[in-house]
Amino acid sequence: MDIAKLALRGVVGGLFVGHGTQKLFGWFGGHGPEATGAAFESMGLRPGRRNAIAAGAAEAGGGALLVLGAATPLAATTVASTMITAIRKVHAPKGPWVTEGGWEYNAVLITAMAVLAESGPGSPSVDSKLFPDWHGRRWALATLAAATAGSYLIDALSEPAPEDTASAGDPDVTAAAAEQARFAKEQATAPHGS
């Protein structure tokens, strides 16, 4: 039994299940797809709701696979991709330190995913029984490459901001925009930010 890998998978995977379900269902103090989608819109991830659901599914699904040690390279890719996107969209301009809203925590998680893809999930795990060869240097490199490509693909699939001259000065629209900006700022100051 690989105690350290089991603990890593259980903690990181379990927390990502929670993090994803915050986006998908508003569980564990999350904001659900509508409010998370509004924050994503303010970060240029349009349509926001669709991107919030995709991020939530990647986090919850990837986290569940990590806990099980199943399809570990895929699990690591989905988790790493959301963290790369969080760095690119929120944390990069703030420098490395999490105390300033930076990207250090995200980088640690990305590195942990690469380590699991390279070394495997350990035992007990689904992969150790069914896919014992699904790990190694090439799997780790593929995980990092696919996670990076997936993060940038989000930009390519995002829609441009709509031109909205009709609602300029509308107090309801202004209040909604202020609430979206407040939520986006709140999300940006969280350690993980995605």
PDB file of all heavy atoms in Angstrom, residues 161-170 173:
ATOM      1  N   ALA A 161     -16.966  39.611 -26.058  1.00  0.00           N
ATOM      2  CA  ALA A 161     -17.910  40.373 -25.237  1.00  0.00           C
ATOM      3  C   ALA A 161     -18.933  41.039 -26.148  1.00  0.00           C
ATOM      4  O   ALA A 161     -18.574  41.606 -27.182  1.00  0.00           O
ATOM      5  CB  ALA A 161     -17.173  41.426 -24.415  1.00  0.00           C
ATOM      6  N   PRO A 162     -20.198  40.976 -25.772  1.00  0.00           N
ATOM      7  CA  PRO A 162     -21.221  41.617 -26.606  1.00  0.00           C
ATOM      8  C   PRO A 162     -21.146  43.131 -26.484  1.00  0.00           C
ATOM      9  O   PRO A 162     -20.803  43.668 -25.441  1.00  0.00           O
ATOM     10  CB  PRO A 162     -22.533  41.076 -26.037  1.00  0.00           C
ATOM     11  CG  PRO A 162     -22.218  40.718 -24.627  1.00  0.00           C
ATOM     12  CD  PRO A 162     -20.763  40.313 -24.611  1.00  0.00           C
ATOM     13  N   GLU A 163     -21.472  43.776 -27.576  1.00  0.00           N
ATOM     14  CA  GLU A 163     -21.593  45.230 -27.555  1.00  0.00           C
ATOM     15  C   GLU A 163     -22.924  45.544 -26.885  1.00  0.00           C
ATOM     16  O   GLU A 163     -23.960  45.015 -27.266  1.00  0.00           O
ATOM     17  CB  GLU A 163     -21.589  45.788 -28.986  1.00  0.00           C
ATOM     18  CG  GLU A 163     -20.269  45.618 -29.700  1.00  0.00           C
ATOM     19  CD  GLU A 163     -19.232  46.608 -29.220  1.00  0.00           C
ATOM     20  OE1 GLU A 163     -19.593  47.724 -28.839  1.00  0.00           O
ATOM     21  OE2 GLU A 163     -18.050  46.244 -29.238  1.00  0.00           O
ATOM     22  N   ASP A 164     -22.913  46.370 -25.860  1.00  0.00           N
ATOM     23  CA  ASP A 164     -24.147  46.666 -25.139  1.00  0.00           C
ATOM     24  C   ASP A 164     -24.250  48.170 -24.914  1.00  0.00           C
ATOM     25  O   ASP A 164     -23.895  48.678 -23.874  1.00  0.00           O
ATOM     26  CB  ASP A 164     -24.193  45.923 -23.813  1.00  0.00           C
ATOM     27  CG  ASP A 164     -25.524  46.122 -23.092  1.00  0.00           C
ATOM     28  OD1 ASP A 164     -26.470  46.659 -23.705  1.00  0.00           O
ATOM     29  OD2 ASP A 164     -25.596  45.743 -21.917  1.00  0.00           O
ATOM     30  N   THR A 165     -24.732  48.838 -25.935  1.00  0.00           N
ATOM     31  CA  THR A 165     -24.910  50.281 -25.790  1.00  0.00           C
ATOM     32  C   THR A 165     -26.310  50.618 -25.312  1.00  0.00           C
ATOM     33  O   THR A 165     -26.544  51.681 -24.759  1.00  0.00           O
ATOM     34  CB  THR A 165     -24.640  50.988 -27.135  1.00  0.00           C
ATOM     35  OG1 THR A 165     -25.492  50.406 -28.131  1.00  0.00           O
ATOM     36  CG2 THR A 165     -23.187  50.834 -27.538  1.00  0.00           C
ATOM     37  N   ALA A 166     -27.262  49.678 -25.477  1.00  0.00           N
ATOM     38  CA  ALA A 166     -28.652  49.956 -25.111  1.00  0.00           C
ATOM     39  C   ALA A 166     -28.833  50.087 -23.605  1.00  0.00           C
ATOM     40  O   ALA A 166     -29.695  50.824 -23.146  1.00  0.00           O
ATOM     41  CB  ALA A 166     -29.567  48.857 -25.644  1.00  0.00           C
ATOM     42  N   SER A 167     -28.016  49.367 -22.819  1.00  0.00           N
ATOM     43  CA  SER A 167     -28.229  49.391 -21.372  1.00  0.00           C
ATOM     44  C   SER A 167     -27.293  50.360 -20.657  1.00  0.00           C
ATOM     45  O   SER A 167     -27.284  50.404 -19.439  1.00  0.00           O
ATOM     46  CB  SER A 167     -28.043  47.982 -20.803  1.00  0.00           C
ATOM     47  OG  SER A 167     -26.718  47.566 -20.998  1.00  0.00           O
ATOM     48  N   ALA A 168     -26.537  51.143 -21.384  1.00  0.00           N
ATOM     49  CA  ALA A 168     -25.622  52.088 -20.740  1.00  0.00           C
ATOM     50  C   ALA A 168     -26.411  53.037 -19.851  1.00  0.00           C
ATOM     51  O   ALA A 168     -27.389  53.643 -20.271  1.00  0.00           O
ATOM     52  CB  ALA A 168     -24.843  52.866 -21.802  1.00  0.00           C
ATOM     53  N   GLY A 169     -26.019  53.121 -18.594  1.00  0.00           N
ATOM     54  CA  GLY A 169     -26.667  54.005 -17.644  1.00  0.00           C
ATOM     55  C   GLY A 169     -27.882  53.407 -16.950  1.00  0.00           C
ATOM     56  O   GLY A 169     -28.427  54.011 -16.043  1.00  0.00           O
ATOM     57  N   ASP A 170     -28.324  52.225 -17.372  1.00  0.00           N
ATOM     58  CA  ASP A 170     -29.465  51.562 -16.729  1.00  0.00           C
ATOM     59  C   ASP A 170     -29.056  51.163 -15.316  1.00  0.00           C
ATOM     60  O   ASP A 170     -28.106  50.419 -15.127  1.00  0.00           O
ATOM     61  CB  ASP A 170     -29.853  50.338 -17.556  1.00  0.00           C
ATOM     62  CG  ASP A 170     -31.065  49.596 -16.996  1.00  0.00           C
ATOM     63  OD1 ASP A 170     -31.276  49.624 -15.764  1.00  0.00           O
ATOM     64  OD2 ASP A 170     -31.783  48.980 -17.790  1.00  0.00           O
ATOM     65  N   VAL A 173     -28.743  47.348 -14.672  1.00  0.00           N
ATOM     66  CA  VAL A 173     -27.566  46.768 -15.321  1.00  0.00           C
ATOM     67  C   VAL A 173     -26.308  47.173 -14.564  1.00  0.00           C
ATOM     68  O   VAL A 173     -25.417  46.356 -14.330  1.00  0.00           O
ATOM     69  CB  VAL A 173     -27.492  47.197 -16.806  1.00  0.00           C
ATOM     70  CG1 VAL A 173     -26.172  46.772 -17.430  1.00  0.00           C
ATOM     71  CG2 VAL A 173     -28.671  46.624 -17.575  1.00  0.00           C
TER      72      VAL A 173
END
